[in-house]
Amino acid sequence: MPVQQILDAILAGDTAPEEFAALPLPDTYKGITVHKDEVEMFAGLASRDKDPRKSLHLDDVPVPELAPGEALVAVMASAINYNTVWTSIFEPVSTFSFLERYGRLSEYTKRHDLPYHVVGSDLAGVVLRTGPGVNAWKPGAEVVAHCLSVELESPDGHDDTMMDPQQRIWGFETNFGGLAQLAIVKSNQLLPKPDHLTWEEAASPGLVNATAYRQLVSKNGAHMKQGDVVLIWGASGGLGSYATQMALNGGAIPVCVVSSPEKAEIVRSLGAQHVIDRSAEGYTFWKDENTQDPKEWQRFGKKIRELTGGEDPDIVFEHPGRETFGASVYVARKGGTIITCASTSGYMHQYDNRYLWMNLKNIKSSHFANYREAFEANRLIDKGLIHPTLSRVYSLEETGQAALDVHHNLHQGKVGVLCLAPEEGLGVRDEAKRAQFLTEINRFRGI
Ligand SMILES: NC(=O)c1ccc[n+]([C@@H]2O[C@H](COP(=O)([O-])OP(=O)(O)OC[C@H]3O[C@@H](n4cnc5c(N)ncnc54)[C@H](OP(=O)(O)O)[C@@H]3O)[C@@H](O)[C@H]2O)c1
């Protein structure tokens, strides 16, 4: 059984690169898919009632041919990202439209346009094969992968690769993603796996950590500096749990918004001093579907000032979107930046522009990260300056349930998925380094 042989080689821990290169590949592998003939299955249902357990399947799919510049990776663990929730509920559009468009680009990208979509935008695992033109990575390398897929044939992407016209998110806008036993990535997605982490811990920060890094820290994002007051929505969630750590690490002052006492406790344990429980405070920024309530923005702003000693946020770390955006624009300080990377609660935002222009505030967008930013974000994990926020781990078979938890906001931090790894706790190569950070690594576990 080639899959078992691959797993045995990884678990042995001392398999030579030549031995990895010589391992036979299976004809098929198990992966989490959505099916093209099911994109209408939830028609007419409210978003909340669309159940990822019904649309995400565990299928045996053929191992694709490797194209130039690519690597085939044996995936030990992956993680749930909100993009898998979007894919599984076919909102705001079915991801098959992305695969069709990508498929039209070239002979090689045609492979992606299939009646099934293997999803997932994070992985930790081992390189098994590399395609022509790959020199920097060899079979046997223990890796994590960031999710930026670019072609770089146009000049536009050569300053900041996020600007490539053919920029895609791997496992969302491309096929052969990480929620599977095997995955195909471009070799310029690969990063060294932090050696003090287990497979599932190493797989969990990837997408959100790099996104938060660009959005908050990078010069392409809000370029946070010491002393900045940073309002962080969803501060114990995927993005927010990394943004909170980065704010604290970078000498900024996070004001963390969460929705329960448990979540408030988590962000306090990270070191945040200013925490707002939006449920306890009962903010209703919208009076009805079409009308916002500026009095509620004011009440929220007052609360922030109470906590900060009268200061307004230099940066608002935005992603909930429609529900919060009006408040975010209102509470940002004069000249402050509202940096947005998402619209979980709705993408048609509404805000009072008078507060923006009269106070010279900026709204800036951010989306994932370029290779350099993803590398820097992964380096922070490797150095123990930022830690994984893994709370629960599911088996590959249970991916639908894991995605439902995230869809219904029942999770904390990140939710992991074991792919080839037979159990949690494997893959640590530097126990002494791990011992230094054990409390931080385990902070979100089991909550
Ligand atoms: N552009 C990119 O590159 C990129 C990358 C990663 C993620 N995203 C997007 O960013 C969003 C968040 O991702 P994530 O991984 O952080 O998800 P997550 O783990 O679900 O965390 C989001 C948090 O936002 C808060 N939240 C949700 N709805 C809210 C609302 N209506 N008002 C206020 N707060 C709300 C929740 O915290 P509380 O309930 O505790 O307040 C939740 O924990 C998703 O839409 C995702 O697709 C975009």
Side-chain angles (χ1 to χ4, degrees):
M1 283 292 288
V3 170
Q4 189 59 46
Q5 271 178 276
I6 291 168
L7 179 58
D8 291 344
I10 297 170
L11 293 178
D14 58 356
T15 305
E18 317 78 72
E19 292 176 66
F20 271 109
L23 285 171
L25 296 180
D27 295 328
T28 63
Y29 68 105
K30 288 193 188 306
I32 296 295
T33 63
V34 285
H35 295 176
K36 197 172 194 171
D37 60 6
E38 291 184 347
V39 298
E40 294 300 328
M41 70 191 295
F42 298 133
L45 291 181
S47 292
R48 198 183 157 76
D49 299 330
K50 299 178 182 175
D51 187 341
R53 293 174 302 186
K54 295 192 175 137
S55 53
L56 292 175
H57 304 279
L58 181 61
D59 288 336
D60 284 299
V61 297
V63 176
E65 186 196 332
L66 210 53
E70 289 183 343
L72 178 71
V73 182
V75 185
M76 294 298 274
S78 182
I80 301 295
N81 284 296
Y82 216 94
N83 67 7
T84 290
V85 175
W86 294 125
T87 304
S88 70
I89 63 173
F90 308 105
E91 284 191 22
V93 290
S94 147
T95 48
F96 287 100
S97 59
F98 304 144
L99 303 185
E100 285 161 19
R101 198 173 320 137
Y102 192 30
R104 288 196 287 272
L105 190 67
S106 77
E107 269 312 298
Y108 287 113
T109 64
K110 215 184 265 177
R111 289 169 307 162
H112 291 255
D113 183 10
L114 294 166
Y116 59 86
H117 184 184
V118 185
V119 297
S121 301
D122 273 318
L123 70 73
V126 177
V127 174
L128 292 177
R129 295 279 195 279
T130 54
V134 177
N135 306 304
W137 299 93
K138 303 281 180 231
E142 297 193 344
V143 293
V144 292
H146 72 78
C147 63
L148 172 63
S149 168
V150 282
E151 309 299 321
L152 288 180
E153 290 187 298
S154 144
D156 295 10
H158 281 261
D159 184 25
D160 170 11
T161 48
M162 280 303 297
M163 298 299 174
D164 188 46
Q166 298 296 336
Q167 177 273 320
R168 292 180 170 79
I169 298 297
W170 159 72
F172 179 60
E173 293 165 291
T174 76
N175 217 322
F176 319 127
L179 284 161
Q181 295 175 322
L182 300 177
I184 287 192
V185 296
K186 292 183 188 279
S187 68
N188 58 19
Q189 287 176 246
L190 295 173
L191 300 160
K193 170 187 169 287
D195 52 8
H196 63 302
L197 299 180
T198 64
W199 296 109
E200 61 279 7
E201 289 162 358
S204 67
L207 183 149
V208 284
N209 184 41
T211 304
Y213 185 79
R214 180 181 174 108
Q215 189 175 353
L216 189 58
V217 179
S218 166
K219 66 179 181 339
N220 292 313
H223 213 184
M224 181 191 79
K225 64 179 190 327
Q226 294 184 51
D228 278 351
V229 173
V230 184
L231 180 74
I232 301 172
W233 289 105
S236 72
L239 287 170
S241 59
Y242 292 90
T244 300
Q245 293 186 71
M246 284 169 199
L248 290 164
N249 244 3
I253 302 162
V255 178
C256 293
V257 187
V258 293
S259 64
S260 71
E262 295 73 34
K263 290 181 172 189
E265 200 38 54
I266 295 170
V267 291
R268 281 209 175 86
S269 79
L270 282 174
Q273 292 180 358
H274 306 322
V275 184
I276 299 176
D277 179 342
R278 66 182 171 101
S279 299
E281 298 287 340
Y283 298 116
T284 40
F285 298 131
W286 291 81
K287 284 189 225 175
D288 59 50
E289 228 170 84
N290 301 308
T291 326
Q292 297 204 57
D293 186 351
K295 287 221 154 32
E296 286 292 271
W297 302 344
Q298 287 165 13
R299 189 161 74 87
F300 181 54
K302 200 162 156 243
K303 180 77 195 171
I304 296 169
R305 284 184 179 176
E306 257 171 54
L307 293 170
T308 60
E311 295 187 321
D312 296 328
D314 297 276
I315 299 169
V316 181
F317 187 84
E318 243 297 335
H319 51 90
R322 182 171 171 84
E323 212 156 299
T324 56
F325 206 82
S328 292
V329 169
Y330 177 80
V331 299
R333 71 171 289 169
K334 192 162 180 140
T337 300
I338 301 98
I339 183 109
T340 174
C341 79
S343 291
T344 313
S345 65
Y347 50 78
M348 293 303 277
H349 296 184
Q350 202 185 78
Y351 64 88
D352 187 332
N353 202 33
R354 291 170 299 177
Y355 292 112
L356 190 85
W357 100 70
M358 292 297 284
N359 295 292
L360 300 108
K361 304 181 189 188
N362 310 287
I363 293 173
K364 191 168 181 185
S365 62
S366 191
H367 184 39
F368 188 59
N370 62 37
Y371 193 7
R372 179 70 207 173
E373 290 160 339
F375 176 85
E376 287 171 10
N378 185 56
R379 178 172 168 271
L380 293 174
I381 303 275
D382 186 52
K383 296 229 168 277
L385 292 165
I386 298 283
H387 302 284
T389 60
L390 186 64
S391 55
R392 285 195 71 173
V393 178
Y394 287 89
S395 66
L396 197 55
E397 289 78 6
E398 296 167 320
T399 301
Q401 181 62 47
L404 182 71
D405 286 2
V406 174
H407 182 27
H408 286 175
N409 196 13
L410 299 173
H411 67 300
Q412 319 285 358
K414 291 294 299 177
V415 177
V417 174
L418 295 181
C419 298
L420 281 171
E423 60 192 80
E424 294 179 42
L426 305 173
V428 176
R429 306 297 181 220
D430 188 338
E431 292 285 359
K433 183 173 158 193
R434 180 179 182 77
Q436 288 177 56
F437 306 120
L438 210 50
T439 307
E440 291 86 348
I441 293 169
N442 286 323
R443 194 180 305 283
F444 280 65
R445 291 312 299 259
I447 49 171

